[in-house]
Amino acid sequence: MNKIVYFDNAATSYPKPEEVYRAVDHFQREIGASPGRSAHRLAVAAGRVVLDARERLARLFGVGNSSRVVLTPNCTEALNLAIKGSLRAGDHVVCSSVEHNSVMRPLRRLAADGVVELTVVPCSPEGRLSPAVVQKQLRPNTRLVVVTQASNVLGTIQPVAEIGKITRKRGILLLVDAAQSAGCIPIDLPASGIDLLAFSGHKGLLGPSGTGGLVIGEDVDLLSLKEGGTGSRSQHEIQPLHLPDRYESGTLNGPGIAGLSAALAWLEAQGVAALMRRLRELTAALLGELAAVPGVTVYGPRDPKKQTAVVSFTMAGKDVAAVAATLDQRFGILTRAGLHCAPSAHKTIGTLRRTGGTVRASLGPFNTTEQVRYFGACLRQLSGK
Amino acid sequence: MPDPSSVATFFTTHAALRAEKLLQTADIPGKLIPTPRHLSADCTLALEFPSALQDRVREILDRHAVETSGMYCLE
Ligand SMILES: Cc1ncc(COP(=O)(O)O)c(C=O)c1O
């Protein structure tokens, strides 16, 4: 069989809208030049592509000033910039217990180096973070709260706006990891009290890999993570302070950003709210199929309104890696087994040691109800019942 | 004799390109040019436009928070 059912959209989305492939190809063949460097026509054309992407991102997140949208190679670098650029010696930082390692590891390292004190706030067994519990953990020296808006293991959507109200009142920075939420649920930075929003361009935003970024709120000042050529203020040997150049040293990923811009145009045309409704229907179907398989345990909210299209499960008596391998080899269904770079999230739901993680099925806008039904039928066959 | 031109210079390419787009939207004839070396070394691109429209250009860029590093009348 050569039919592929791709249920690994939380790792990276596939396929992309047709326009994305065309935009990458067009950039490579017809534009090619480095944005922001030379003054010739192709460099200007490349610069306009980057400007369009930035302006679309600003619109998507409700931000007025597109120079506050900094482009990075992925969400991990954006998170590192936000965390290491904002925290200083002696600061206290709070995060949830379902954070991805791209948040947890930078924080653990800063804590291990004695730079910051770290509090990891436990989430409920469904992966939900309580704003009241976050509030109780705040200290006079708390500078930053980090929250994954939607868990990459459970899909759980966090009450970010409620947490934002608390951090705003206390003058604490709120960093949101939107790797799993951008493009999947509507996000409004100012309305949610978000100071820093890190996103992947290659997941729910449907752009190519090698894209991501950090939106930096108007009053937020970060140290740069790296310094280098920006194509601007080149007479100075010290890093310029103007955004976005301050945080964008080195040649940008022109083809990737062109693809991301095309993906954002596609998202604008579809509407994120409409896509979210569609993904909710698919998630409801997926949860329904899983509930009908004997011996399957589903983790997380199990409610399409409280989660993204990410569902983790285990099968009684079966190794998670073996289940994923069989789904791939026998049925052409591509899922991801294991810890999903989020050991703390698996600790929260009790699957870290007991089962070695979960099998994760994550859907995208190009998946269909038929695929979800086929998945259910295959699992029932696997369960032997 | 052609109308006298002005040049706006910027700190970032982003600002220069954004300014170009804003002028286009406002139907003001603006053209990106390589920044004349004697004016600024901040950004490779500058924006040339008719001097008669300097006040309007200033107003538009201010309203959209596009920072310039200078504005010059060309001889
Ligand atoms: C919740 C979460 N945060 C961060 C990341 C890192 O994203 P990227 O691979 O774009 O660096 C991922 C995905 O891998 C994720 O799921």
Side-chain angles (χ1 to χ4, degrees), chain A residues 165-183:
Chain A
K165 267 189 211 131
I166 296 166
T167 48
R168 268 289 142 89
K169 211 179 280 170
R170 299 275 296 255
I172 293 166
L173 293 174
L174 175 61
L175 164 60
V176 169
D177 174 358
Q180 296 296 338
S181 54

Side-chain angles (χ1 to χ4, degrees), chain A residues 184-324:
Chain A
C184 300
I185 58 178
I187 297 176
D188 187 320
L189 231 72
S192 310
I194 301 170
D195 297 292
L196 295 154
L197 185 94
F199 61 89
S200 294
H202 61 97
K203 299 180 194 261
L205 293 182
L206 304 175
S209 39
T211 59
L214 180 69
V215 187
I216 303 175
E218 283 294 340
D219 309 315
V220 183
D221 188 52
L222 299 176
L223 294 177
S224 50
L225 200 60
K226 57 189 185 190
E227 292 78 33
T230 58
S232 57
R233 314 215 80 197
S234 297
Q235 71 277 32
H236 300 291
E237 289 183 14
I238 53 167
Q239 188 75 0
L241 296 181
H242 293 86
L243 266 65
D245 295 12
R246 182 178 184 184
Y247 308 111
E248 284 186 358
S249 292
T251 302
L252 286 174
N253 176 7
I257 294 166
L260 175 59
S261 189
L264 292 163
W266 187 88
L267 281 176
E268 274 178 18
Q270 305 283 320
V272 172
L275 284 173
M276 180 181 75
R277 280 194 295 276
R278 193 181 136 53
L279 284 169
R280 275 183 184 169
E281 283 168 20
L282 285 175
T283 307
L286 179 60
L287 291 166
E289 291 295 334
L290 285 166
V293 185
V296 159
T297 305
V298 177
Y299 301 86
R302 285 174 290 173
D303 177 347
K305 287 203 169 65
K306 294 183 178 161
Q307 68 184 96
T308 53
V310 171
V311 178
S312 262
F313 65 94
T314 51
M315 289 180 87
K318 292 199 193 304
D319 176 71
V320 291
V323 171

